[in-house]
Amino acid sequence: MAKTVIVVIDGFGVGAMPDAGTLRPGDLNADTCGHVLDHCRAAFGRPLRLPVLGALGLGLVHPHPDLARRTHLPVAAGRAALGYPGADTFAGHQTMMGADFSRVTVARLADHLDEVSGALTAAGHRVERLDGKPLLVVDGAVLVHDNLEADPGINWNASGRLDDLPFDGPGGILAIARTVRAVAPVARVIAVGGHADGPLRDFVRPGDGETVGLDTPATGFYRNGGLQVQHLGAPLDHTRQLPELAARAGIPVTLVGKAADILVCGAATRHPAVATADVLSHTLDAVRAEGDALVVANVQETDLAGHQQDTGRYGQLLEQVDAGLAGLVALLADPGDRLIVTGDHGNDPTIGHAHHTREYVPVLIHRPGADGVELLPDAHSLADVGATAALSLALDPEGLAGGTPLHTGRRAA
């Protein structure tokens, strides 16, 4: 019997990737891990208490005075490039589970207006531009626009007021979003329906990177109740992702936190949760169960702290995660068990904006029964994490759409 647990600390980067400054040149200075450590030492008058992350090799991947540089645990430690365009939780998790995101691009709606308008018109909808801006009004009620809450070009939205039309049904918001999804090159098209404080056109504004869209928080959708949202991801072969591969082999699959919301596996046990304490509790419970297991857990609150630019809160959450990891290390003690701690992108709360940052992420692997500490070469993609997890479960990584198992590099000094 063997268990493999992947804990994704959402928004936990360890330094900017070479192309991080393409959209915002200042992002070349992004370092979520280092900047949170530095800020918290100054703000708290002490270093963050991260003994388990240190023991798992974080200080080997990201040298810092407040992180241990040596460990006696049998770990392999490295870092991974993202392997998908932009910096996005959905794309990060899909890639990590072995999806091929090579056909997904970062794109403004402005560059695809004719294609999207044509698809909507062919589906029987009336389509027009809003005051000449690069966004579309469908059937006089639904706005198709750039998503302004993620980095430019990552997602598009189809947004409508539930007072004007239903969310579901043949002419509803979701049906319009599905038509857009069929021709969209971006990672996600998000259908959004809610109750607004006024006409949606009153809340349209420009965003970064020459995008134009609906200022969704300003509409009142989030505070007026009744919000309905559905994320339509890029077409993926989910049968060639890690959860489905494991389930077909008879391995119980548990998805925790945001992973339960965005990963596809019909046989999985799901525990959606946002509070870090709940995510850790569900993860520990899944590990305590008898038999083989694949557990994928997402700690979302770190990402939320990054968006809120609350560096102190981010540090406190890291300490909470570290305490939970201690329990996982204790439980995953049999040869063949694996604990993989990683991230999906960066979210540096000190960088001066509330968007994700395109950073490398740590790949920290606890390997009971292995000898010594080894340093991994940089992974080209998060898909390599999924392939490595497949191998630890005695599954054939070739069954995944992407990814190559990480082979250990040199022995740590």
Side-chain angles (χ1 to χ4, degrees):
M1 293 186 294
K3 303 179 191 295
T4 292
V5 180
I6 302 174
V7 175
V8 183
I9 305 176
D10 204 315
F12 189 49
V14 290
M17 289 177 56
D19 60 354
T22 301
L23 176 63
R24 292 178 290 265
D27 281 11
L28 283 172
N29 298 317
D31 179 1
T32 302
C33 177
H35 290 157
V36 169
L37 288 169
D38 291 341
H39 171 92
C40 289
R41 173 181 273 275
F44 302 163
R46 61 167 178 83
L48 285 180
R49 300 185 179 100
L50 305 176
V52 181
L53 283 167
L56 290 172
L58 182 60
L60 301 176
V61 173
H62 186 293
H64 189 279
D66 294 344
L67 294 172
R69 293 298 305 274
R70 295 180 181 276
T71 178
H72 297 296
L73 288 180
V75 300
R79 62 179 191 170
L82 301 185
Y84 65 87
D88 177 65
T89 295
F90 177 84
H93 282 69
Q94 303 302 332
T95 300
M96 190 184 302
M97 294 299 106
D100 178 6
F101 257 64
S102 62
R103 291 183 297 277
V104 175
T105 62
V106 175
R108 298 177 306 153
L109 179 62
D111 298 326
H112 295 269
L113 285 174
D114 291 343
E115 187 178 4
V116 175
S117 296
L120 289 165
T121 300
H125 297 286
R126 176 168 54 88
V127 183
E128 57 189 329
R129 297 268 293 271
L130 177 64
D131 302 329
K133 297 182 177 70
L135 74 167
L136 303 175
V137 183
V138 184
D139 297 335
V142 174
L143 292 185
V144 176
H145 59 92
D146 293 307
N147 179 299
L148 302 186
E149 294 175 79
D151 269 344
I154 296 291
N155 307 317
W156 297 348
N157 282 22
S159 304
R161 302 195 317 168
L162 296 176
D163 303 306
D164 299 330
L165 78 172
F167 188 77
D168 294 303
I173 299 165
L174 183 57
I176 291 169
R178 284 179 171 146
T179 300
V180 176
R181 170 71 277 173
V183 296
V186 295
R188 273 185 289 179
V189 173
I190 307 173
V192 183
H195 299 287
D197 295 334
L200 293 188
R201 65 175 61 235
D202 293 348
F203 303 102
V204 170
R205 66 170 176 82
D208 292 340
E210 299 181 343
T211 56
V212 177
L214 187 69
D215 186 342
T216 305
T219 64
F221 275 5
Y222 294 150
R223 64 177 180 273
N224 289 338
L227 180 68
Q228 291 186 262
V229 178
Q230 188 160 331
H231 296 260
L232 305 177
L236 300 171
D237 185 355
H238 296 294
T239 67
R240 300 193 64 194
Q241 289 187 284
L242 181 62
E244 286 285 356
L245 194 66
R248 288 199 302 274
I251 299 171
V253 177
T254 302
L255 305 175
V256 182
K258 198 168 185 178
D261 297 327
I262 59 178
L263 295 179
V264 173
C265 179
T269 298
R270 297 176 183 274
H271 296 289
V274 175
T276 300
D278 292 340
V279 171
L280 295 172
S281 176
H282 288 311
T283 304
L284 287 163
D285 287 346
V287 173
R288 290 188 185 104
E290 293 293 327
D292 298 337
L294 168 65
V295 183
V296 183
N298 172 281
V299 177
Q300 185 181 359
E301 284 192 301
T302 44
D303 188 51
L304 298 179
H307 286 306
Q308 294 158 358
Q309 301 177 71
D310 189 340
T311 315
R313 174 65 175 154
Y314 198 121
Q316 292 169 341
L317 289 163
L318 284 180
E319 291 189 328
Q320 187 177 2
V321 171
D322 195 89
L325 291 175
L328 290 173
V329 169
L331 288 171
L332 297 166
D334 293 334
D337 286 346
R338 293 291 183 269
L339 170 62
I340 303 174
V341 180
T342 187
D344 51 352
H345 51 73
N347 197 339
D348 188 335
T350 72
I351 204 68
H353 59 74
H355 295 297
H356 294 159
T357 42
R358 188 165 164 81
E359 298 180 53
Y360 292 100
V361 296
V363 181
L364 313 175
I365 307 174
H366 180 232
R367 312 166 301 160
D371 292 328
V373 177
E374 298 196 18
L375 301 180
L376 299 169
D378 282 350
H380 297 295
S381 169
L382 281 171
D384 296 349
V385 175
T388 303
L391 201 61
S392 73
L393 290 165
L395 302 172
D396 183 0
E398 293 294 324
L400 302 174
T404 302
L406 291 167
H407 296 289
T408 55
R410 59 187 176 84
R411 186 65 59 86

